[in-house]
């Protein structure tokens, strides 16, 4: 009998912008085609904010839905961790804006920067803090508005991303439900294969930095792809080994939704049947730190996760960072 020691999930929620950008919409912006995007990425459409919409709008909606789902009052939340790289402002933390908006009067709040790994990193940090006994309920959030830093003339990147946010309310494990095992890794040697150079202390914003498009995402797609498959496979293997779970005991795999081909390559390495792999990248594109919690909420609400399910999640993002977790529901 596997025991869960880490935090358990009491409720989840997510929020997406209403506006949908299809591949044929993108055909009018850059030299691309629906066929190329579908064949190379599996993405057919993505939800995108109206320019100027801050991340907090999505995250607050996701948080309120997760609280309602969990039946927990905001006043009983004492910790808020938001995984994101597209906060409303450089500071304060967007988590503090969420704290105020939802009325979590007694909560500590901070943002965590791990790009697409933001939610699984935040979950594990919150789980460790809950284990101290100093916190009773945590609100763990993941979300990004990457379309705010996309260069819409760069076809290599602009077709990949969508906006969205997800949330989960956590409490210490009851021994049956919760985190069975989680891992987190990084390798900064590859920082410049996927990065956003401008606007920080290295290149403070200037007219020149804007003209050089330093505020936009830069990416070596092929290299990112290669590392993503290898690292996610290693992390998933680690979680299976350390939690003494076999692949047969995993009811659902939720991989980071970046590219259908990355997900398929991962599935092939583990010979996992496709009906056990959650996919929404076709509808949402890559929502970065929103990817895992949105998929998790969709899987719960559609009945693909039920009480007793064991779910594995695995992700990879800029940094590089990568992480995985096995959770019993
Ligand atoms: N439309 C049409 N053609 C395009 C487009 C486009 N949108 N983008 C690139 N091309 C062209 C290239 O210019 C190239 O043309 P060339 O052969 O004449 O030079 C050709 O298509 C092939 O380009 P590649 O980069 O080799 O294509 P690849 O099959 O590697 O697919 C992609 C590119 C989709 C970016 C892929 O490498 C990928 O998904 N990488 C992972 C990136 C990622 O997911 N990043 C997100 C953050 S990290 C994460 O979440 C895992």
């Amino acid at each position: 009998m596997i025991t869960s020691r880490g935090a358990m999930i009491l409720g989840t929620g997510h929020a997406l912008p209403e506006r949908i950008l299809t591949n044929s919409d993108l055909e009018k912006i850059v030299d691309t085609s629906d066929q190329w995007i579908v064949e190379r990425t599996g993405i057919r459409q993505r939800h995108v904010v109206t320019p100027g919409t801050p991340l907090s709008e999505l995250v607050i909606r996701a948080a309120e839905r997760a609280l309602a789902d969990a039946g927990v009052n905001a006043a009983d939340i004492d910790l808020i961790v938001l995984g994101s790289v597209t906060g409303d402002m450089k500071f304060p933390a967007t988590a503090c804006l969420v704290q105020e908006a939802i009325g979590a009067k007694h909560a500590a709040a901070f943002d965590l920067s791990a790009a697409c790994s933001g939610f699984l990193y935040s979950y594990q940090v919150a789980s460790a803090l809950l284990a101290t006994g100093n916190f009773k309920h945590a609100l763990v959030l993941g979300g990004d508005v990457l379309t705010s830093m996309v260069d819409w003339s760069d076809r290599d990147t602009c077709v990949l991303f969508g906006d969205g946010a997800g949330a989960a309310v956590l409490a210490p494990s009851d021994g049956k439900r919760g985190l069975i095992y989680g891992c987190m890794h990084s390798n900064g040697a590859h920082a410049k294969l996927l990065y956003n150079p401008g606007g920080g202390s290295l290149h403070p914003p200037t007219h020149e930095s804007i003209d050089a498009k330093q505020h936009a995402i830069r990416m070596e797609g092929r290299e990112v792809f290669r590392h993503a498959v290898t690292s996610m496979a290693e992390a998933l293997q680690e979680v299976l080994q350390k939690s003494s779970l076999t692949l047969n005991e995993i009811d659902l795999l939720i991989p980071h939704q970046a590219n259908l081909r990355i997900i398929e390559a991962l599935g092939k390495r583990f010979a996992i049947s496709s009906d056990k792999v959650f996919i929404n990248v076709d509808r949402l594109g890559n929502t970065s730190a929103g990817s895992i919690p949105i998929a998790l909420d969709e899987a719960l609400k559609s009945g693909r996760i039920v009480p007793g399910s064991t779910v594995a999640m695995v992700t990879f993002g800029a940094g590089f960072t990568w992480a995985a977790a096995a959770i019993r529901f």
Side-chain angles (χ1 to χ4, degrees):
M1 170 71 186
I2 304 287
T3 51
S4 303
R5 287 184 298 275
M8 62 180 183
I9 295 176
L10 300 181
T12 56
H14 78 271
L16 297 168
E18 271 172 33
R19 196 170 146 227
I20 289 175
L21 191 68
T22 63
N23 291 348
S24 53
D25 293 332
L26 282 164
E27 284 174 357
K28 293 171 197 134
I29 302 173
V30 283
D31 179 15
T32 190
S33 67
D34 175 55
Q35 191 190 354
W36 190 96
I37 300 171
V38 172
E39 277 176 12
R40 300 294 178 115
T41 72
I43 299 168
R44 293 179 183 277
Q45 60 167 51
R46 63 290 289 145
H47 289 247
V48 298
V49 298
T50 310
T53 306
L55 173 72
S56 59
E57 264 193 44
L58 294 175
V59 177
I60 289 164
R61 261 197 285 149
E64 286 172 342
R65 287 171 183 165
L67 287 168
D69 190 43
V72 170
N73 289 325
D76 293 325
I77 296 289
D78 36 26
L79 176 66
I80 301 174
V81 188
L82 165 62
S84 183
V85 291
T86 51
D88 290 18
M89 298 173 265
K90 289 262 175 241
F91 69 86
T94 303
C96 293
L97 308 181
V98 177
Q99 180 270 337
E100 157 67 11
I102 66 171
K105 288 195 167 49
H106 312 293
F110 61 94
D111 292 354
L112 187 155
S113 173
C116 301
S117 308
F119 180 79
L120 284 185
Y121 261 61
S122 298
Y123 190 115
Q124 294 183 61
V125 167
S127 178
L129 287 170
L130 286 166
T132 64
N134 294 347
F135 302 92
K136 290 194 172 56
H137 292 103
L139 182 60
V140 173
L141 309 161
D144 272 305
V145 177
L146 277 188
T147 60
S148 66
M149 53 167 77
V150 157
D151 173 359
W152 290 101
S153 66
D154 176 15
R155 69 177 183 174
D156 290 345
T157 54
C158 77
V159 303
L160 302 176
F161 302 107
D163 303 322
V169 177
L170 307 190
S173 173
D174 60 6
K176 295 189 200 96
R177 295 176 291 164
L179 181 68
I180 301 166
Y181 182 85
C183 66
M184 300 186 275
H185 297 286
S186 71
N187 185 352
H190 302 302
K192 291 195 175 167
L193 292 181
L194 177 56
Y195 70 131
N196 174 224
S201 52
L202 177 64
H203 298 298
T206 59
H207 290 293
E208 291 73 26
S209 76
I210 301 291
D211 290 343
K213 295 190 172 171
Q214 285 186 335
H215 54 288
I217 295 171
R218 295 189 182 174
M219 182 185 74
E220 299 290 334
R222 262 187 234 177
E223 281 298 299
V224 174
F225 190 109
R226 197 168 61 78
H227 283 279
V229 174
T230 309
S231 302
M232 287 205 284
E234 283 172 7
L236 187 55
Q237 189 57 38
E238 178 182 344
V239 162
L240 291 173
Q241 250 165 24
K242 293 278 176 63
S243 58
S244 306
L245 284 166
T246 64
L247 211 51
N248 277 342
E249 292 172 296
I250 300 294
D251 297 302
L252 188 67
L253 173 65
I254 301 182
H256 173 47
Q257 307 287 316
N259 182 320
L260 189 58
R261 284 163 53 221
I262 295 179
I263 297 172
E264 286 171 348
L266 188 67
K268 225 183 236 169
R269 286 198 183 200
F270 286 84
I272 186 165
S273 76
S274 58
D275 60 319
K276 276 191 170 188
V277 182
F278 191 89
I279 290 169
N280 64 14
V281 68
D282 53 326
R283 288 182 287 116
L284 305 187
N286 182 351
T287 56
S288 184
S291 159
I292 296 273
I294 293 170
L296 176 63
D297 187 43
E298 287 190 344
L300 278 158
K301 299 289 156 58
S302 62
R304 290 188 70 181
I305 302 173
V306 294
S309 294
T310 302
V311 178
M313 302 176 209
V314 61
T315 189
F316 180 87
F320 289 144
T321 57
W322 62 102
I327 297 177
R328 169 77 39 82
F329 284 82

